[in-house]
Amino acid sequence: MSKKQSSTILVETAIVASFAMSLSLLPDLAGWFTPSLGAIPLVAFSLKRGLRYGLLAGLIWGLLHFILGRVYYLSFYQVLIEYLLAFTCMGLAGLTSHKFQDTLKKGSLLTSSFWAILGITIAVLIRYFWHFLAGVIFWSDYAPKGMSPYLYSFMVNGSACGLTFILCVIIFLAILKFQSKLLKN
Ligand code: 218
């Protein structure tokens, strides 16, 4: 890849991270149960440009929460897990990027959808695993009286995880069907 290409992709990375952050700023309707809209551009970008740029975009998305004062701080390790580790993990969708690109170039929409959905599943599950863990360790005081912290964290983060996954898959498949050139590396 030429120097010009890689600097263009770095600019794209910053733009995608900012777009994800601006979607995170939209008012949420159901608190921590709300799906993460910013995950949509992030997984699409990771599948297009690959793992390294995806992880970098996720990290920048996480860091932007600090700059904009949108971090919910309970403790140092909670913030590290939820805003650096968890957000960076969204870029793991790039793990299947090569397979996705190969099959997309061959024109096989069904196989490329399979690889994309696999990448999205890995990224969303691992991200929300970290939120689940942080929920058990750091957020248990917020659980309704008598409810196990595991069940509470699973209900909150499991719902957000499921909704985020469904949204990412539906919108990604729509882009793949109608504007697949946007997703080609
Ligand atoms: C049970 C519980 N409540 C709240 C949180 C915090 N949390 C959950 C999901 C996503 C994010 C990142 C910002 O959107 C945060 C901080 C939790 N982990 N568990």
Side-chain angles (χ1 to χ4, degrees), residues 24 28 31-34 36 61 65 70-74 78-79 82-83 86-87 127-128 130-136 138-140 142-143 149 152-157 160:
S24 296
D28 49 52
W32 293 118
F33 289 89
T34 315
S36 169
W61 181 21
H65 286 75
R70 303 295 284 211
V71 169
Y72 289 86
Y73 179 93
L74 297 180
Q78 173 259 335
V79 164
E82 297 207 89
Y83 290 94
F87 279 95
R127 172 183 170 187
Y128 277 94
W130 293 118
H131 291 308
F132 165 74
L133 195 72
V136 173
F138 304 105
W139 294 84
S140 57
Y142 294 82
Y152 173 62
S153 187
F154 184 75
M155 279 171 53
V156 171
N157 294 301

Side-chain angles (χ1 to χ4, degrees), residues 132-184:
F132 165 74
L133 195 72
V136 173
I137 302 173
F138 304 105
W139 294 84
S140 57
D141 288 351
Y142 294 82
K145 234 179 152 198
M147 188 189 272
S148 125
Y150 290 94
L151 179 62
Y152 173 62
S153 187
F154 184 75
M155 279 171 53
V156 171
N157 294 301
S159 314
C161 177
L163 292 172
T164 302
F165 173 76
I166 291 169
L167 266 182
C168 283
V169 168
I170 291 177
I171 296 184
F172 187 89
L173 292 182
I175 301 172
L176 184 60
K177 185 159 166 53
F178 299 111
Q179 282 297 323
S180 65
K181 65 177 189 298
L182 285 179
L183 298 169
K184 284 193 179 127

Side-chain angles (χ1 to χ4, degrees), residues 59 79-90 127 130:
L59 175 66
V79 164
L80 206 66
I81 292 173
E82 297 207 89
Y83 290 94
L84 296 187
L85 194 56
F87 279 95
T88 304
C89 284
M90 282 305 326
R127 172 183 170 187
W130 293 118

